[in-house]
Amino acid sequence: MSKKIIVDVQYDQTRVALLEDNELVELYMEGEESQGIVGNIYRGKVENVLPGMQAAFVDIGLEKNAFLYVGDISTDKSIFEFSGEQGTTVNDARAMSIKDLISRGQEITVQVLKEPIGTKGARVTTQITLPGRYLVLMPTVNYIGVSRRIEDETERKRLKEIVERLKPQNMGIIVRTAALGKEEEDFIQDIDFLCRLWAKIQGKEWKGKVPRVLYEDEDIIYRTIRDFYAPDIGKIIINSKEEYERTLEFADVLFPGLNQKVKLYDNSVGVFEYYNIESKIEKAIQKKVWLRNGGYLIIDQTEALTVIDVNTGKFVGSRNLEDTVLKTNLEAAQEIAHQIRLRDIGGIIIIDFIDMSEEASKDKVLEILRSALKKDRTKTNVLGFTGLGLVEMTRKKVRSRLASKLLKPCPYCHGTGRVYSESMVVAKIEKELESISKHSNTWGVVVEVHPSVARLWMEDEGKNMDILEKTLSCKVYIKENNAFHVEESIIHPLIGQQDAEKFFLEHKKA
């Protein structure tokens, strides 16, 4: 599989795209108004403790207070004995009431797990993690873990044995996927750097006002290379000479030999446009996604739940119904995994595949879906088919979805995806006119509306308008405005005929 990292640097925003076989699979953006904060460490103050929710709200200097769940609190090593087994600290913390662990007004060091999403503040933890090239240091827990993407048990055992020899006392280590095949000397520098970084952060904890930032993760280009780079990355293409030269400086330190793959893009055509990324971004925010065989997906998203519906569309198959349905569902499973990853969809996901009568067909679809999801770095869990024939799955929420970064709520439909029909707009205006005629001595009105509303209103040679004028006992003039939204209207009251003549004269000049 051919992989590329494409970096588009603009004066106010940096975008990073990951391509696999020239297909856009992940997109990240960062600008002055959209700085990523996942991984940042803050010294905050506990604003409120809610025992009923086993959670607390912590002021870390952001617009909304951060949310700290009891299971994300690392308990003091002097109270709890660590055996080196995963989850010891979390289980002990959950068994206690949060009011016995922290109190209102207390200063606390936390790290952001999830960015603020919608109306919710950031989710934070006291269990700090510091990522390096091959390892992640966890200074507040005593645990060794190996990335689930390293599947070979012999290699997992070998890496764990190396890390056990190097692990600092009373600290934890996670072996990253990039450590595959590496030797002990490759990890020594990582551990030394991360331990010095943690000591530096600890030195800042008691100095300065609260809330404040103790540590900010590196910029988007550095993070992308650190977190994504693997030997199968063929090229890293950057359109900024300044960022290209800076990347060369740290690339060789991060991964020796990497700088040979870093290329400067110098072309009059935009780098995203050249690699057809702009058009792919447009498709990534559409509700309807076409499959290659003529079928399609409908993706509906709410804050907590995403529903994906699979349809045969134009695909009619060539053998029988079961074969047609299976082929559509298999291709849909691949595309669904791709869309979930690209759109950064998190939370509960319900997939309505086309009904299949054979259990073997259902098993094939689940197998393809799970296999395709293995490419996703974010944790997913496919639960299987429910009694209603729907597939349930979950995906960890870390950042806002792609659509929320590129789109804003429609000021007309308020998120419903629908607007009033022309007949409904006419009915609403007529009710408003009735109210005006009852409470004032207006001689007439000019109603300014969208052309499609005006055409509907004037159907049947204006007979409906004649009836309206008799009902209201006043003149009604319709004025079309091409700039209006279909729901938009303005009513201009007219005191007398002279007022009407003046209105039309002024608007004719305009």
Side-chain angles (χ1 to χ4, degrees):
M1 180 184 292
S2 170
K3 291 185 181 181
K4 298 186 187 78
I5 294 174
I6 313 296
V7 181
D8 177 33
V9 181
Q10 303 295 334
Y11 74 95
D12 61 343
Q13 186 183 60
T14 299
R15 300 184 296 174
V16 178
L18 176 63
L19 302 184
E20 292 180 356
D21 291 333
N22 294 319
E23 192 66 44
L24 178 65
V25 294
E26 294 188 36
L27 178 70
Y28 298 92
M29 295 173 287
E30 195 167 271
E32 292 180 4
E33 296 182 357
S34 58
Q35 290 276 348
I37 63 168
V38 171
N40 287 3
I41 299 174
Y42 296 85
R43 187 67 174 173
K45 182 178 286 187
V46 178
E47 289 292 308
N48 204 0
V49 179
L50 306 173
M53 292 178 63
Q54 282 289 70
F57 289 97
V58 183
D59 179 11
I60 58 173
L62 302 180
E63 185 180 346
K64 296 184 181 74
N65 286 339
F67 178 82
L68 175 64
Y69 175 59
V70 67
D72 293 320
I73 299 175
S74 180
T75 48
D76 195 301
K77 295 184 179 73
S78 63
I79 299 174
F80 296 98
E81 184 178 334
F82 288 82
S83 65
E85 294 296 319
Q86 183 180 13
T88 305
T89 304
V90 173
N91 291 337
D92 285 332
R94 286 177 179 170
M96 299 181 67
S97 173
I98 192 167
K99 63 183 176 61
D100 296 325
L101 296 173
I102 56 174
S103 57
R104 187 176 180 181
Q106 179 181 341
E107 291 185 13
I108 190 171
T109 298
V110 293
Q111 185 173 35
V112 176
L113 283 176
K114 297 180 183 177
E115 290 182 354
I117 299 174
T119 58
K120 299 176 182 177
R123 181 170 174 176
V124 295
T125 177
T126 66
Q127 298 170 13
I128 308 298
T129 58
L130 298 173
R133 290 178 296 174
Y134 307 117
L135 307 172
V136 176
L137 180 69
M138 300 183 296
T140 61
V141 297
N142 189 9
Y143 166 67
I144 294 176
V146 180
S147 167
R148 62 190 175 96
R149 291 183 173 275
I150 300 176
E151 297 179 347
D152 183 85
E153 284 302 322
T154 304
E155 178 66 1
R156 291 175 67 87
K157 184 179 179 182
R158 184 186 73 86
L159 291 169
K160 194 168 185 178
E161 288 173 353
I162 292 174
V163 172
E164 281 175 346
R165 294 195 294 269
L166 300 175
K167 186 179 77 67
Q169 190 174 5
N170 290 330
M171 290 190 183
I173 294 286
I174 294 177
V175 181
R176 308 187 71 175
T177 309
L180 184 67
K182 300 300 178 182
E183 301 298 333
E184 185 170 323
E185 54 268 23
D186 295 311
F187 302 143
I188 293 173
Q189 188 177 358
D190 237 18
I191 291 177
D192 180 58
F193 167 75
L194 293 172
C195 286
R196 282 189 284 109
L197 175 60
W198 175 237
K200 187 177 179 181
I201 292 168
Q202 284 184 302
K204 293 180 180 179
E205 277 189 290
W206 307 102
K207 300 174 183 176
K209 63 179 183 178
V210 176
R212 68 182 183 279
V213 180
L214 298 179
Y215 166 78
E216 286 185 284
D217 204 358
E218 301 289 347
D219 66 60
I220 189 171
I221 300 176
Y222 184 99
R223 292 198 313 268
T224 300
I225 294 175
R226 179 193 67 196
D227 297 341
F228 281 89
Y229 181 73
D232 58 351
I233 295 288
K235 290 181 182 178
I236 299 171
I237 299 163
I238 305 174
N239 69 338
S240 163
K241 188 175 182 182
E242 181 182 346
E243 290 298 332
Y244 164 75
E245 291 174 348
R246 190 178 71 87
T247 301
L248 287 177
E249 289 178 7
F250 69 72
D252 206 33
V253 175
L254 277 177
F255 299 100
L258 171 61
N259 56 6
Q260 296 175 6
K261 297 182 178 182
V262 181
K263 309 294 180 185
L264 175 64
Y265 178 83
D266 186 13
N267 196 311
S268 58
V269 179
V271 64
F272 267 32
E273 188 177 346
Y274 181 83
Y275 286 96
N276 296 318
I277 298 173
E278 298 289 9
S279 60
K280 289 180 172 68
I281 294 173
E282 287 290 329
K283 291 179 182 177
I285 58 176
Q286 300 300 319
K287 185 176 179 178
K288 193 173 194 176
V289 179
W290 285 99
L291 304 175
R292 286 188 296 273
N293 69 5
Y296 63 90
L297 311 175
I298 297 292
I299 302 176
D300 269 320
Q301 295 176 256
T302 65
E303 187 173 343
L305 176 72
T306 298
V307 178
I308 303 175
D309 186 30
V310 182
N311 299 274
T312 53
K314 302 172 185 175
F315 182 56
V316 294
S318 58
R319 294 174 60 188
N320 54 54
L321 179 60
E322 183 72 19
D323 180 69
T324 302
V325 167
L326 178 58
K327 284 182 178 177
T328 303
N329 283 340
L330 290 175
E331 185 175 338
Q334 291 270 13
E335 186 60 33
I336 287 168
H338 172 228
Q339 290 295 326
I340 288 171
R341 183 182 176 193
L342 174 58
R343 297 174 187 232
D344 216 352
I345 298 172
I348 301 168
I349 302 168
I350 302 294
I351 307 169
D352 185 8
F353 285 106
I354 305 166
D355 288 342
M356 295 170 285
S357 57
E358 297 179 10
E359 288 299 319
S361 297
K362 294 180 181 179
D363 291 340
K364 281 183 184 178
V365 170
L366 287 178
E367 183 184 347
I368 290 295
L369 179 62
R370 289 189 174 113
S371 176
L373 287 168
K374 286 182 179 179
K375 300 175 185 176
D376 192 349
R377 294 189 313 133
T378 302
K379 185 179 180 181
T380 59
N381 183 23
V382 179
L383 303 176
F385 281 92
T386 68
L388 295 174
L390 306 173
V391 170
E392 286 182 330
M393 66 169 287
T394 60
R395 185 173 185 268
K396 187 178 178 182
K397 279 185 180 179
V398 179
R399 300 174 182 82
S400 300
R401 291 176 297 220
L402 180 64
S404 66
K405 296 177 181 178
L406 299 175
L407 306 173
K408 68 176 185 178
C410 172
Y412 297 102
C413 75
H414 304 290
T416 65
R418 298 282 192 273
V419 294
Y420 281 124
S421 64
E422 286 84 352
S423 59
M424 187 63 185
V425 174
V426 169
K428 287 181 67 180
I429 295 172
E430 288 180 349
K431 287 177 183 176
E432 194 172 346
L433 291 176
E434 285 178 20
S435 177
I436 291 172
S437 68
K438 286 178 182 177
H439 299 94
S440 67
N441 295 319
T442 304
W443 175 84
V445 292
V446 176
V447 185
E448 201 168 355
V449 292
H450 186 273
S452 65
V453 176
R455 284 194 295 271
L456 178 67
W457 220 344
M458 297 304 294
E459 280 182 352
D460 297 329
E461 299 179 350
K463 289 179 182 178
N464 292 333
M465 191 59 62
D466 292 338
I467 296 170
L468 181 64
E469 287 183 336
K470 288 177 183 177
T471 303
L472 300 177
S473 300
C474 74
K475 288 285 186 181
V476 179
Y477 299 97
I478 306 298
K479 183 177 186 297
E480 296 183 10
N481 191 326
N482 291 307
F484 273 22
H485 183 271
V486 68
E487 291 183 356
E488 193 173 356
S489 64
I490 297 178
I491 297 174
H492 305 275
L494 303 172
I495 305 303
Q497 189 168 352
Q498 288 182 338
D499 197 16
E501 291 171 355
K502 181 181 177 183
F503 176 88
F504 285 111
L505 183 63
E506 288 176 351
H507 281 72
K508 189 176 181 180
K509 288 178 181 178

